[in-house]
């Protein structure tokens, strides 16, 4: 378990797969929110909420989505604590990410810092007038959108910096 506790979020751009759709995943204990990007990796949009179960059917569904959407990279939210620690939720997200990675290899599965994405998603839905009762599945998808959109924005900035440095 020591290795899991040492896992840090990945940074976009290292071995970037180039153009193509990305899948964003917000792992929860009951539901998994899923989002995807357009092929140019500019905008994240919600896809669906996948129900968790004990038999890993959720991983099969995620792997199917990777194939159906022709995904080139998967970004799983890593819910580290504000004190930069890896708690039970992060250990769970890492386990789902690793299981999915084994199933969809060689498509890369990245871990992205997702602190506060669920809180931000809840606030946005509340401000949009969506009642708490109907929010649960939407919150998971909105959190996945937040995770993926942050990744896409960071990726775009890193790639633009590289292009600027190459031109200099």
């Amino acid at each position: 378990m020591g290795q899991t506790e040492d896992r840090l979020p990945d940074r976009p751009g290292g071995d970037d797969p180039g153009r193509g759709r990305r899948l964003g995943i917000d792992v929860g204990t009951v539901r998994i929110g899923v989002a995807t990007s357009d092929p140019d990796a500019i905008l994240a949009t919600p896809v669906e909420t996948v129900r968790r179960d004990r038999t890993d059917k959720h991983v099969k569904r995620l792997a199917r989505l990777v194939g159906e959407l022709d995904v080139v990279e998967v970004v799983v939210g890593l819910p580290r604590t504000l004190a930069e620690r890896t708690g039970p939720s992060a250990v769970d997200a890492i386990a789902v990410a690793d299981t999915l990675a084994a199933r969809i290899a060689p498509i890369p599965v990245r871990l992205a810092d997702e602190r506060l994405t669920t809180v931000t998603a809840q606030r946005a839905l509340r401000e949009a007038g969506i009642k708490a009762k109907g929010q649960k599945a939407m919150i998971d998808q909105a959190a996945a959108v937040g995770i993926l959109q942050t990744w896409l924005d960071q990726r775009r900035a890193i790639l633009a910096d590289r292009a600027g440095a190459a031109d200099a």
Side-chain angles (χ1 to χ4, degrees):
M1 177 138 150
Q3 229 177 353
T4 297
E5 291 171 9
D6 296 339
R7 295 271 292 271
L8 295 173
D10 295 306
R11 303 257 326 132
D15 52 347
D16 190 80
R19 187 177 189 275
R21 289 185 192 279
R22 271 76 178 160
L23 199 69
I25 298 175
D26 176 52
V27 177
T29 54
V30 178
R31 292 171 305 278
I32 298 173
V34 184
T36 190
S37 74
D38 58 287
D40 292 319
I42 295 170
L43 184 65
T45 55
V47 175
E48 70 180 69
T49 301
V50 176
R51 199 152 276 301
R52 291 273 312 251
D53 73 353
R54 288 183 179 85
T55 64
D56 277 353
K57 276 187 190 165
H58 52 278
V59 176
K60 288 178 185 166
R61 177 62 187 146
L62 295 171
R64 252 195 333 274
L65 284 169
V66 167
E68 289 169 10
L69 297 170
D70 203 22
V71 168
V72 299
E73 182 176 50
V74 176
V75 180
V76 177
L78 180 63
R80 294 172 58 89
T81 68
L82 293 176
E84 290 293 323
R85 293 206 172 82
T86 304
S89 295
V91 170
D92 186 39
I94 291 167
V96 170
D98 288 349
T99 303
L100 181 60
R103 190 174 287 257
I104 65 170
I107 296 168
V109 176
R110 318 285 191 201
L111 295 171
D113 188 344
E114 69 140 274
R115 284 174 294 182
L116 306 179
T117 52
T118 301
V119 174
T120 305
Q122 287 170 327
R123 184 179 306 128
L125 290 171
R126 197 170 41 251
E127 288 171 3
I130 296 167
K131 302 286 181 230
K133 253 187 182 174
Q135 279 186 10
K136 286 190 193 280
M138 292 178 79
I139 287 170
D140 299 316
Q141 290 179 36
V145 166
I147 291 163
L148 184 56
Q149 190 63 56
T150 299
W151 181 270
L152 298 174
D153 294 346
Q154 289 173 349
R155 176 184 177 268
R156 198 165 38 256
I158 288 167
L159 295 179
D161 285 350
R162 283 193 196 146
D167 292 343

